[in-house]
Amino acid sequence: MSAFLLAFDVLFGFAALLGLIALGGMIMPNTVVLVEQIDEDQRAGLAQWEAIVESTIRRSRPVLLTALAAIAAMIPLSRCAFWAPMAITLMGGLLAGTVLTLLFLPVLWFGSPTALPCHRLAANTLRPRSRSRRCSRSVWRFLVSGGRIHHGDPLEG
């Protein structure tokens, strides 16, 4: 958000603060819906890894379309002298928030100790570093593979 304000040479004033407050209300529903979808898929019987990937893929189009529609709606306001800081704050924040929702949130959810099966499987081992390396490798493999699910246990070597 501040990078967008700097790029457009706009000061952070009252209108930008209004945009920042509105931004919280625009981004939070996307994250809540994604987390609820992951939980629902897990309750339906999908494994944790598959539930995260499938939910993120399923929710990516609605999240992207609503963010792009809101960004496009702010373009006319960005030319107004009074509302430009708010519009630019909203455009930059929606862009960053959408990327974080679709990329960072699933990785964070996969890496949480209560949600990650490899933490439960290796909880009694004396080498926590090897456990975190296995988890990091599987997340990296998922990101590099373009989001394809590997059949079998995604945490295997």
Side-chain angles (χ1 to χ4, degrees):
M1 175 211 48
S2 60
F4 266 71
L5 290 173
L6 285 173
F8 286 98
D9 195 29
V10 176
L11 297 175
F12 187 85
F14 179 72
L17 182 62
L18 285 177
L20 186 63
I21 293 169
L23 189 61
M26 297 169 97
I27 291 177
M28 289 307 280
N30 290 336
T31 59
V32 169
V33 167
L34 181 59
V35 168
E36 285 295 320
Q37 186 69 48
I38 293 170
D39 285 340
E40 183 180 315
D41 285 352
Q42 284 180 330
R43 282 190 299 259
L46 282 176
Q48 170 114 28
W49 178 257
E50 292 170 352
I52 291 171
V53 173
E54 291 297 322
S55 298
T56 304
I57 291 170
R58 194 175 315 126
R59 294 300 309 164
S60 64
R61 186 170 36 156
V63 168
L64 284 171
L65 288 177
T66 55
L68 290 176
I71 289 171
M74 292 296 135
I75 292 174
L77 283 179
S78 67
R79 294 197 166 89
C80 178
F82 183 73
W83 296 111
M86 182 190 76
I88 292 170
T89 300
L90 282 171
M91 288 190 300
L94 279 171
L95 186 65
T98 301
V99 169
L100 288 174
T101 299
L102 293 177
L103 297 178
F104 182 69
L105 180 70
V107 172
L108 185 69
W109 188 263
F110 182 72
S112 71
T114 58
L116 186 60
C118 69
H119 284 288
R120 287 195 296 269
L121 291 175
N124 297 328
T125 63
L126 297 174
R127 300 180 311 172
R129 286 188 153 265
S130 64
R131 178 180 62 205
S132 65
R133 283 188 192 137
R134 274 197 318 256
C135 297
S136 299
R137 265 198 316 254
S138 61
V139 170
W140 178 250
R141 192 177 336 143
F142 168 72
L143 292 174
V144 169
S145 70
R148 291 189 301 269
I149 298 175
H150 301 283
H151 293 288
D153 186 13
L155 304 174
E156 290 178 350

